[in-house]
């Protein structure tokens, strides 16, 4: 039996693929899908919103696969990377089965595992918030899934690629790497090709999004790169049409704007460094970041967070209750005036 077949929840093998009307026919006099032949009421319908979209999102699939130089069949596209995380957990996790996740990291992993009645096996990152290979291996023993986040939210650092690949060599299940912020670190840090190129490892999965560097959080578009067999199982567990026509159109248009996005990434990185200097000027420690946010430490985090919001209208995220992050707040890199407003408000609150 193939590795993935053994890892996917057993009943999924018997779940038939749902064949949508639009995967059978997409042209002609379309009287097969109970759509509204008179059109949508909201536009002149260039977007053909009265029709169901291409269920395989072939155009966007080709565009993303081309950019990443991976096989199109190794992509799952859907409604944000949270949807990919959720579907991956649902495809692999039986009630009670362990899933290994790092701590501190992105809260949605634990939340989705719990929603699936899985058992959370948390392991601590090391003192630099990099992967602790021994702890990760131990937590992953017998688990069908381990999820990592690189760059890690909320600390901002990349995990070492060598340690991730070493864990991959020694893992019983699927190793998923959430790369929501990787564009800010640089494409060379992505494992997308290792997960989706020719000769890719079946066990490796990469999850990416257009919500961050690509600026499309409102559109909800994310994707997963994994083995064709895993993507096929996810398609059967998930719903038909996981990505709306509007989101697919926005994603396709954004991918045409690579130079604008690259320029914004450069500006965000410069502002991130300026934010860290500003924090240091206020006598505050912050963590090095490869992402579009900075994790920093204050004496009384929840008080400062609520005062920044209440008195100055500057909203940052309190992360001080996470393990290893006592006193931590996380600030997203804003525009230069927003960052100035944040630093000025923080200066005032620290001296209050
Ligand atoms: N992964 C990480 C690490 C994130 O921080 C986020 C957003 N907060 C997501 C995934 C989800 O992104 P989206 O669903 O917008 O693609």
């Amino acid at each position: 039996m193939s590795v993935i077949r053994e890892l996917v929840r057993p009943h999924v093998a018997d779940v038939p693929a749902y064949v949508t009307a639009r995967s059978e026919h997409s042209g002609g006099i379309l009287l097969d899908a109970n759509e509204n032949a008179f059109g949508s009421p909201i536009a002149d319908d260039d977007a053909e919103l009265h029709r169901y979209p291409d269920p395989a999102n072939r155009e966007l699939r080709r565009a993303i696969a081309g950019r990443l130089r991976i096989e199109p069949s190794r992509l799952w596209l859907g409604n944000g990377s949270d949807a990919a995380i959720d579907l991956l957990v649902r495809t692999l996790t039986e009630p009670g089965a362990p899933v290994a996740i790092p701590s501190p990291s992105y809260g949605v992993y634990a939340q989705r595992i719990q929603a699936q009645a899985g058992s959370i096996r948390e392991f601590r990152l090391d003192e630099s918030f990099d992967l602790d290979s021994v702890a990760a291996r131990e937590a992953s023993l017998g688990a069908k899934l381990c999820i990592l986040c690189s760059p890690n939210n909320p600390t901002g650092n990349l995990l070492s690629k060598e340690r991730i690949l070493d864990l991959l060599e020694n893992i019983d299940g699927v190793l998923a790497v959430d790369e929501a912020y990787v564009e800010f670190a640089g494409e060379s840090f992505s494992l997308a090709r290792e997960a989706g190129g020719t000769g890719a490892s079946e066990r490796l999965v990469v999850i990416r999004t257009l919500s961050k560097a690509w600026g499309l959080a409102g559109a909800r578009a994310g994707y997963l790169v994994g083995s064709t067999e895993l993507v096929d199982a996810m398609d059967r567990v998930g719903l038909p049409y996981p990505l709306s026509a509007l989101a697919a159109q926005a994603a396709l248009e954004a991918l045409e704007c690579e130079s604008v996005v690259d320029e914004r990434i450069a500006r965000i990185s410069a502002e991130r460094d300026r934010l860290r200097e500003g924090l240091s000027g206020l006598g505050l420690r912050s963590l090095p970041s490869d992402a579009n946010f900075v994790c920093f430490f204050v004496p009384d985090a929840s008080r400062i967070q609520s005062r920044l919001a209440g008195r100055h209208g500057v909203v940052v995220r309190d992360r001080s209750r996470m393990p290893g992050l006592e006193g931590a707040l996380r600030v997203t890199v804003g525009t230069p005036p927003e960052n100035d407003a944040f630093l000025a408000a923080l200066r005032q609150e620290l001296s209050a």
Side-chain angles (χ1 to χ4, degrees):
M1 223 197 301
S2 81
V3 170
I4 294 300
R5 182 92 193 247
E6 251 174 72
L7 294 173
V8 165
R9 295 173 68 182
H11 73 277
V12 174
D14 301 322
V15 176
Y18 180 74
V19 182
T20 62
R22 283 295 146 270
S23 41
E24 295 196 307
H25 297 278
S26 55
I29 298 176
L30 293 171
L31 304 177
D32 58 344
N34 303 342
E35 296 152 338
N36 190 325
F38 290 81
S40 88
I42 59 167
D44 66 348
D45 255 11
D46 267 356
E48 296 254 301
L49 288 181
H50 63 303
R51 296 286 178 209
Y52 283 101
D54 168 13
N57 296 112
R58 277 167 294 190
E59 209 182 340
L60 181 59
R61 180 178 297 274
R62 269 196 303 273
I64 293 175
R67 263 185 58 78
L68 299 178
R69 291 182 291 137
I70 61 167
E71 307 287 326
S73 62
R74 286 172 167 266
L75 268 176
W76 179 87
L77 304 166
N79 189 31
S81 56
D82 279 342
I85 295 163
D86 174 62
L87 186 53
L88 182 65
V89 171
R90 280 194 283 138
T91 302
L92 295 172
T93 312
E94 290 288 301
V99 180
I101 54 170
S103 170
S105 195
Y106 182 43
V108 160
Y109 311 141
Q111 202 254 356
R112 296 329 296 161
I113 296 164
Q114 261 186 291
Q116 200 50 46
S119 151
I120 299 163
R121 261 208 215 142
E122 259 182 1
F123 59 92
R124 288 291 292 271
L125 295 171
D126 73 9
E127 64 291 342
S128 330
F129 302 106
D130 197 353
L131 197 59
D132 175 333
S133 302
V134 175
R137 245 192 244 185
E138 219 171 84
S140 305
L141 270 179
K144 290 190 173 175
L145 176 63
C146 171
I147 310 175
L148 304 176
C149 187
S150 179
N152 187 49
N153 179 6
T155 55
N157 58 290
L158 280 162
L159 306 185
S160 122
K161 207 167 178 173
E162 294 68 42
R163 292 188 194 181
I164 297 175
L165 292 174
D166 177 64
L167 181 62
L168 183 65
E169 291 297 308
N170 291 287
I171 202 163
D172 295 325
V174 164
L175 181 61
V177 186
D178 179 350
E179 296 185 340
Y181 300 96
V182 80
E183 290 91 342
F184 298 105
E187 200 60 44
S188 64
F189 290 97
S190 173
L191 288 164
R193 290 212 70 213
E194 283 84 345
T198 38
S201 162
E202 269 189 292
R203 291 183 188 279
L204 184 62
V205 158
V206 161
I207 296 166
R208 307 239 338 222
T209 182
L210 280 92
S211 295
K212 310 296 178 182
W214 293 92
L216 285 186
R220 312 303 298 128
Y223 57 92
L224 174 147
V225 185
S227 77
T228 306
E229 205 170 350
L230 180 62
V231 168
D232 172 67
M234 287 173 62
D235 277 337
R236 278 177 293 123
V237 173
L239 297 170
Y241 307 112
L243 189 67
S244 84
L246 290 171
Q249 190 53 40
L252 266 172
E253 284 180 33
L255 292 173
E256 295 285 311
C257 305
E258 196 164 357
S259 58
V260 176
V261 170
D262 284 345
E263 188 242 335
R264 292 207 179 141
I265 290 172
R267 280 167 67 190
I268 288 168
S269 304
E271 278 299 300
R272 176 188 66 206
D273 297 344
R274 192 172 73 84
L275 260 183
R276 287 198 71 212
E277 276 165 33
L279 289 165
S280 155
L282 295 175
L284 299 176
R285 183 168 80 89
S286 66
L287 299 177
S289 172
D290 300 299
N292 67 337
F293 55 83
V294 173
C295 191
F296 65 100
F297 299 88
V298 290
D300 185 349
S302 62
R303 186 179 132 269
I304 298 266
Q305 192 273 344
S306 68
R307 287 200 172 203
L308 284 175
R311 293 180 166 188
H312 306 271
V314 176
V315 190
V316 300
R317 197 95 152 140
D318 183 355
R319 283 292 171 254
S320 62
R321 279 176 292 277
M322 294 186 111
L325 292 182
E326 294 75 20
L329 296 177
R330 189 195 68 197
V331 61
T332 305
V333 178
T335 61
E338 287 174 337
N339 299 331
D340 288 341
F342 158 72
L343 287 168
L346 186 57
R347 175 186 297 278
Q348 220 174 308
E349 290 311 322
L350 287 170
S351 54

